[in-house]
Amino acid sequence: MTREDQRLEDLRQGKAQWKRWGPYLSERQWGTVREDYSANGTAWEYFPHDHARSRAYRWGEDGIGGICDSHQRVCFAPAFWNRRDPILKERLFGLTGKEGNHGEDVKECYFYLDAAPTHSYLKMLYKYPRSEFPYARLVAENGRRTKADPEFELLDTGVFDGDRYFDIFVEYAKASAEDILIRITAWNRGSESAPLDLLPTIWFRNTWSWRDETQRPRLSRLRERRGCESIGLETLSYGQRWLFADEKPTLLFTDNETNFKRLFGIENRAPYLKDAFHEYLIKGNDGAVNPAQTGTKAAALYRLDMPAGSTATVRLRFTDQNPSAASGPVEPLFGRAFDDVFSARIAEADEFYARYASGRMSEDARQVQRQAFAGLLWSQQSYHYDVQVWLQGDPAFPPPPEARKKGRNHKWKHLHCADVLSMPDKWEYPWFASWDTAFHGVALGVIDPDFAKEQLILLLREWYMHPNGQLPAYEWAFDDVNPPVHAWAAWRVYKIEKRIRGRADRGFLERVFQKLLINFTWWVNRKDPEGLNVFEGGFLGLDNVGVFDRSAPLPTGGHLEQADGTSWMGMYCLNMLAMALELSREDRVYGSVASKFFEHFIYIAQAMNDLGGEGIALWDEEDGFYYDALHLPDGSQSFLKVRSMVGLAPLFAVETLEPEMLANLPHFRERMQWLLENVPAAARHIDMSQTSPNGPRRLLSLVTRERLLRVLRYMLDEKEFLSPHGIRSLSRFHLDHPYTLRMMGNEYRIGYEPAESRTGTFGGNSNWRGPVWFPVNFLIIESLQRFHYYFGDELQVEFPTGSGRKLTLWQIAAELSRSLSSIFLRDKNGRRPVCGSIEKLQSDPYWRDLMCFFEYFHGETGAGLGAAHQTGWTALVAKLLEQSGAHTSQDKMGDEAGD
């Protein structure tokens, strides 16, 4: 057991709260739904970036490379000023949904370099230009560009040319669960000297203004200690804490209060305000800071003049230990012992992660994996949102507009979030999304199964899940419907933990299964309008993949029968079946529940493939592919013949029943046999061609073997779905053959777009019409593994289609895994596809080993697109790298498929 493992074990047993403090500070609180009290839900405009430095947040805090406690009551983050910027750099800048030509987008350069699961060690890098930050130019140029143009990024402005910037490394190391060492190291990368002001800042989240609370936490300067300055914290939750700053910085104090006069032209409620440090440094207003050196926000100001190529380090210590109260000799707060703690935590992190890098993994791959895990852990955030309070407004402020009571999220008054959650991207998507969380759980399960399980259980708790059983989608619209992958994630995490720890957490599986029964019932009752086991779903996470906006009523009237909606439900059935069978090992009651999911799956398969004669075909026999079906009010039906991920989703629903399992479940076996004998569709959708020494094996799948091969011909064709970097979300066939639908005097068109979206659907910052997406590619790889587990080496297909080269499905899964991983790895020319044509990222020694884990990837080149730090589901690359060298035999492959 490594030292980090021991810390996780101590946390599990309640011996030490190693996760009380972590990187839980958001990177953007402004422009969020939580902070929006407008009548019409214009979150970006109601609380813009320009307000953020002067306006107290209601529901959270933000900063650059910051930490806070799990309830986000005490926050710490560094701020910077190059003595040229018009704004103190306290938070990351980016464009709003309307300002960006492809939606909202952060316009900064920062990277997560390392993190341990208990946050015993954390490291990130912020690249700060020496010249004035080009705020106005970024807004203007992106506003000028169209959706046919690429985004205009900070690197495009030239501010990093000639190495005229600072590399600022922010590190944290825990000497104990409550003793946090902070090291901020700045490098002047340029060939000229340059000034830099560092302001490590500590503050309290404003929880007092909204209800006229009289009791407040307090920060104050303490008496001088030799060689350092100190700030005392009187907290309402944790008692006393101390922040020590090495050397002799200037201490500044103010309050985390809104500057009403600047923003709204009315008198301020407090003399010292949130933007005081900006006013003090940039405006030269000495009266902005509190001369009594007390308040609810404080900073240690280090004014540096850095020669060319030089480095400077500032050290701080945040602790629950008061050196003045020590009875014996006082240990130095800084010095060699301080640096020794960092060295120890770094070595312990190396030891912890060594097990996840297979022996065949290159040093480059190890670095990619380590940064993927780092980004995943840095993306945890203390998330607060009480919908009932948010809708009603706060007693100390005027009531919000009446329209809000029937506006966004008004049906979710029960939802009360005050938890540390795994975020998709703490700037672009600083809120949880239910199907993202599922994929985060699988990646997290590799390094921290307990946190992965907590995340999955949390969304099923009664203060998240709707009383009707629906899971909340995301804060912009909790009513939206994400793919039902929660059961899949829970089953995967259960098996991952069993493999890693050698023991299974049956309690977790049983707990999550019982809540998922409620959610499954909601799906059946709400998303199968005709009762024919064909599901609509609506949005389903794939944004603009369809001809129509699938979250809105159809312009033609009628409704869509969605191939992916039905496929997701088929997959959901099989996940629940697998869990029920596992639970039935110790409790036979679950055998009868398993029968229910087995039977339901058969009926879904029947409807999906039109085997029951209901006329609801989603399979086009002529094309050999699955499509959405459009049902018009006059009763007519037609396929929307778009070859997209929608038609590949049926592959996700696949499971094998082994005779050994069935031998111990006589009642389930009897019911299954009855269905096989009395329901024709059952026999057609259970393949029994394979046997083991203990009897026939049974494959449950939405696709028969013959249809599987036909779908794979498209999926593995380089002129269709197969790219050098994974499976495209839309077939390349539609580049020269766009799909066009003319109805009711209107034309609807969809074509292959391998990069950013050319439409404004769902804000235009997402594109499922060609790029490669990690979550669905991961599911494709797993599905191929599962098919191989059943069919074995005798089933081989061409890879690529038309090449004459035949591989097993396991080998194809491995090829796809390597293709996805290759997005981040250096090729034979030393270039990373993810970095595209940006030469600085490809060759500059200060940039070339820094990873951004993007939201999606160019369908031709593999270049990163969308949110730049979506290390949530794109952290799945770490899982792919972890398992890439783990399998050496078919038996091992079969055991490991799916975990």
Side-chain angles (χ1 to χ4, degrees):
M1 179 179 288
T2 68
R3 289 293 300 274
E4 182 64 12
D5 287 317
Q6 186 61 58
R7 283 187 281 269
L8 288 168
E9 185 61 30
D10 289 347
L11 177 67
R12 187 181 304 113
Q13 296 180 13
K15 295 180 179 179
Q17 296 299 317
W18 281 104
K19 290 188 181 180
R20 172 173 288 164
W21 304 93
Y24 310 140
L25 198 63
S26 179
E27 285 163 0
R28 178 175 62 82
Q29 185 69 14
W30 60 274
T32 61
V33 167
R34 284 155 285 154
E35 300 295 338
D36 176 24
Y37 284 78
S38 66
N40 51 1
T42 52
W44 288 109
E45 290 73 26
Y46 181 80
F47 204 133
H49 177 267
D50 183 57
H51 283 204
R53 69 178 181 273
S54 303
R55 187 171 171 184
Y57 292 126
R58 172 63 179 88
W59 294 100
E61 294 290 336
D62 57 18
I64 301 172
I67 61 171
C68 65
D69 63 285
S70 58
H71 299 287
Q72 204 175 89
R73 295 179 179 127
V74 182
C75 307
F76 174 91
F80 319 109
W81 189 42
N82 57 14
R83 302 185 199 169
R84 295 188 179 188
D85 280 355
I87 302 172
L88 178 64
K89 183 64 71 172
E90 295 180 282
R91 58 189 47 80
L92 299 172
F93 173 72
L95 304 184
T96 70
K98 291 183 179 179
E99 288 174 335
N101 60 321
H102 293 288
E104 65 266 29
D105 188 42
V106 66
K107 300 300 182 185
E108 303 269 12
C109 293
Y110 58 103
F111 305 89
Y112 300 121
L113 303 181
D114 209 353
T118 63
H119 318 305
S120 58
Y121 179 67
L122 297 165
K123 184 178 184 179
M124 67 87 67
L125 167 63
Y126 176 68
K127 288 183 175 285
Y128 187 33
R130 283 170 25 187
S131 60
E132 180 178 330
F133 196 91
Y135 292 103
R137 186 180 174 198
L138 286 165
V139 174
E141 178 59 24
N142 279 281
R144 184 188 66 79
R145 296 189 177 197
T146 70
K147 293 194 179 298
D149 299 316
E151 294 174 324
F152 184 66
E153 305 291 1
L154 183 59
L155 272 167
D156 299 324
T157 67
V159 294
F160 296 108
D161 291 353
D163 294 334
R164 294 189 298 272
Y165 66 91
F166 301 102
D167 269 342
I168 304 175
F169 295 89
V170 182
E171 296 175 275
Y172 303 90
K174 293 182 180 179
S176 72
E178 302 290 344
D179 187 7
I180 304 171
L181 282 55
I182 305 165
R183 187 166 68 186
I184 304 171
T185 304
W187 285 85
N188 178 2
R189 295 299 188 194
S191 58
E192 299 173 349
S193 62
L196 174 65
D197 291 346
L198 296 178
L199 290 87
T201 305
I202 191 163
W203 73 99
F204 296 110
R205 176 164 63 93
N206 187 329
T207 58
W208 54 84
S209 291
W210 322 109
R211 297 179 180 276
D212 285 332
E213 294 180 6
T214 56
Q215 190 176 13
R216 300 186 185 187
R218 183 171 177 267
L219 300 166
S220 58
R221 185 186 181 192
L222 303 180
R223 64 181 177 82
E224 290 188 19
R225 290 181 55 84
R226 188 172 65 183
C228 72
E229 288 284 355
S230 54
I231 298 171
L233 289 79
E234 297 176 17
T235 74
L236 305 181
S237 303
Y238 306 120
Q240 288 186 303
R241 291 289 191 278
W242 292 265
L243 178 68
F244 298 97
D246 195 15
E247 300 177 352
K248 304 295 289 184
T250 300
L251 297 187
L252 306 175
F253 289 82
T254 188
D255 282 301
N256 189 8
E257 298 279 2
T258 297
N259 187 337
F260 288 96
K261 188 170 185 179
R262 173 188 173 247
L263 298 176
F264 310 114
I266 60 177
E267 288 302 311
N268 288 315
R269 301 180 179 184
Y272 303 106
L273 308 167
K274 181 179 177 180
D275 56 13
F277 304 155
H278 165 90
E279 290 288 319
Y280 175 84
L281 278 177
I282 297 173
K283 299 288 186 66
N285 181 4
D286 293 347
V289 297
N290 189 345
Q293 296 190 304
T294 186
T296 51
K297 180 179 178 181
L301 171 60
Y302 292 86
R303 310 211 74 177
L304 308 175
D305 289 293
M306 301 187 64
S310 68
T311 182
T313 300
V314 302
R315 296 170 176 83
L316 302 99
R317 192 162 190 159
F318 180 64
T319 181
D320 65 342
Q321 300 298 312
N322 181 6
S324 301
S327 56
V330 178
E331 291 291 328
L333 291 168
F334 303 101
R336 182 173 179 177
F338 182 95
D339 290 332
D340 285 347
V341 172
F342 273 96
S343 298
R345 295 299 170 268
I346 293 169
E348 290 161 9
D350 291 341
E351 179 189 27
F352 177 79
Y353 283 113
R355 78 183 77 174
Y356 303 112
S358 69
R360 298 185 305 183
M361 194 181 293
S362 68
E363 185 56 38
D364 186 37
R366 290 170 189 262
Q367 192 172 43
V368 170
Q369 185 189 57
R370 186 78 166 260
Q371 291 187 42
F373 281 136
L376 184 64
L377 294 170
W378 270 94
S379 295
Q380 295 174 19
Q381 179 181 319
S382 183
Y383 181 87
H384 299 260
Y385 188 17
D386 184 331
V387 174
Q388 177 77 19
V389 171
W390 177 76
L391 288 170
Q392 291 177 345
D394 295 301
F397 283 78
E402 281 295 314
R404 296 182 73 253
K405 294 181 179 179
K406 294 297 181 182
R408 175 178 287 136
N409 296 335
H410 73 277
K411 297 179 181 179
W412 292 80
K413 295 184 180 70
H414 72 285
L415 194 143
H416 185 165
C417 309
D419 302 284
V420 173
L421 296 171
S422 182
M423 298 292 154
D425 178 319
K426 287 203 297 186
W427 193 95
E428 196 141 339
Y429 304 116
W431 28 259
F432 72 91
S434 61
W435 85 305
D436 293 62
T437 298
F439 293 101
H440 300 183
V442 173
L444 282 164
V446 177
I447 55 173
D448 191 356
D450 290 325
F451 185 70
K453 291 185 294 183
E454 290 168 11
Q455 293 292 286
L456 294 171
I457 289 172
L458 194 58
L459 294 193
L460 298 171
R461 296 302 302 270
E462 52 273 21
W463 54 90
Y464 281 83
M465 177 189 277
H466 197 281
N468 65 18
Q470 183 179 4
L471 293 184
Y474 48 87
E475 70 175 33
W476 282 92
F478 286 133
D479 282 328
D480 269 354
V481 181
N482 283 175
V485 290
H486 220 77
W488 166 80
W491 180 230
R492 291 283 266 110
V493 168
Y494 172 82
K495 293 198 292 179
I496 289 170
E497 181 183 29
K498 184 177 181 180
R499 171 173 64 86
I500 291 174
R501 291 179 171 166
R503 63 179 186 271
D505 188 348
R506 177 187 165 87
F508 160 73
L509 194 66
E510 192 164 12
R511 187 178 179 188
V512 76
F513 181 82
Q514 291 171 358
K515 283 298 188 76
L516 285 168
L517 286 172
I518 303 171
N519 178 248
F520 186 90
T521 303
W522 175 84
W523 269 91
V524 171
N525 291 338
R526 296 296 183 95
K527 293 300 176 180
D528 179 14
E530 304 296 329
L532 296 174
N533 298 298
V534 178
F535 294 82
E536 291 184 14
F539 165 56
L540 283 178
L542 307 189
D543 293 12
N544 65 343
V545 74
V547 178
F548 308 110
D549 180 347
R550 302 199 301 173
S551 66
L554 296 178
T556 60
H559 64 275
L560 278 180
E561 304 289 5
Q562 293 179 220
D564 56 334
T566 307
S567 302
W568 290 120
M569 282 303 290
M571 175 182 169
Y572 198 170
C573 272
L574 293 184
N575 296 147
M576 295 294 280
L577 171 61
M579 286 193 282
L581 291 174
E582 176 73 7
L583 291 169
S584 70
R585 290 176 183 268
E586 297 182 19
D587 187 342
R588 296 296 176 87
V589 171
Y590 284 99
S592 60
V593 182
S595 297
K596 176 260 188 296
F597 287 107
F598 176 84
E599 188 167 349
H600 206 133
F601 173 77
I602 295 301
Y603 293 136
I604 289 175
Q606 176 183 2
M608 178 118 186
N609 294 279
D610 194 28
L611 296 178
E614 295 286 352
I616 310 292
L618 298 178
W619 170 261
D620 182 359
E621 181 62 30
E622 180 181 1
D623 287 3
F625 202 72
Y626 289 96
Y627 298 116
D628 284 347
L630 176 61
H631 289 254
L632 295 175
D634 62 6
S636 62
Q637 170 189 330
S638 62
F639 285 125
L640 299 178
K641 291 198 172 187
V642 180
R643 293 208 280 274
S644 73
M645 190 58 66
V646 165
L648 301 181
L651 302 183
F652 302 158
V654 53
E655 188 68 44
T656 297
L657 300 182
E658 297 292 356
E660 296 82 2
M661 169 69 76
L662 299 180
N664 297 318
L665 297 169
H667 296 299
F668 175 80
R669 190 174 66 249
E670 290 170 8
R671 180 60 179 167
M672 181 184 69
Q673 190 61 39
W674 185 92
L675 286 167
L676 289 171
E677 293 172 356
N678 293 277
V679 179
R684 285 196 285 263
H685 274 276
I686 300 180
D687 188 299
M688 293 186 289
S689 62
Q690 307 297 313
T691 61
S692 78
N694 296 310
R697 305 172 70 211
R698 294 170 173 86
L699 179 74
L700 278 63
S701 172
L702 287 181
V703 298
T704 63
R705 175 171 173 149
E706 182 263 334
R707 290 184 179 178
L708 170 65
L709 295 175
R710 295 185 72 183
V711 171
L712 289 180
R713 285 190 61 82
Y714 288 108
M715 191 182 86
L716 304 178
D717 189 335
E718 293 170 312
K719 298 187 295 296
E720 297 265 1
F721 289 96
L722 183 63
S723 85
H725 305 291
I727 302 299
R728 302 177 177 107
S729 50
L730 187 86
S731 171
R732 198 177 191 279
F733 169 83
H734 294 298
L735 174 64
D736 298 320
H737 306 88
Y739 178 79
T740 302
L741 177 67
R742 295 179 178 85
M743 300 190 71
M744 303 173 65
N746 295 312
E747 180 178 288
Y748 305 92
R749 191 174 184 274
I750 183 170
Y752 174 69
E753 300 172 7
E756 289 98 344
S757 173
R758 293 170 178 257
T759 72
T761 307
F762 288 95
N765 65 336
S766 171
N767 186 22
W768 286 83
R769 296 183 176 181
V772 172
W773 290 75
F774 254 78
V776 286
N777 269 263
F778 191 86
L779 291 176
I780 287 170
I781 289 169
E782 179 184 277
S783 297
L784 293 175
Q785 290 174 338
R786 290 179 180 275
F787 279 117
H788 176 268
Y789 176 56
Y790 179 77
F791 287 114
D793 291 347
E794 63 93 9
L795 180 59
Q796 298 187 3
V797 298
E798 279 189 309
F799 182 86
T801 299
S803 67
R805 176 192 182 215
K806 290 204 169 184
L807 298 179
T808 67
L809 297 185
W810 186 273
Q811 290 171 327
I812 292 171
E815 290 284 345
L816 293 179
S817 180
R818 283 190 285 271
S819 294
L820 288 167
S821 300
S822 74
I823 291 173
F824 300 98
L825 301 174
R826 289 201 193 100
D827 61 19
K828 61 183 179 182
N829 297 314
R831 302 177 71 83
R832 303 183 193 276
V834 64
C835 298
S837 60
I838 305 172
E839 196 56 40
K840 183 173 283 291
L841 297 178
Q842 295 287 11
S843 59
D844 190 301
Y846 299 129
W847 295 76
R848 67 193 301 261
D849 292 325
L850 304 174
M851 309 297 161
C852 279
F853 296 88
F854 286 83
E855 184 180 6
Y856 55 97
F857 302 88
H858 196 289
E860 300 297 320
T861 68
L865 300 166
H869 295 81
Q870 189 139 342
T871 326
W873 63 28
T874 304
L876 288 167
V877 68
K879 179 73 177 79
L880 294 177
L881 289 168
E882 185 254 350
Q883 68 188 25
S884 62
H887 315 308
T888 57
S889 70
Q890 180 176 331
D891 289 344
K892 183 66 175 175
M893 290 177 186
D895 291 340
E896 295 293 336
D899 65 12

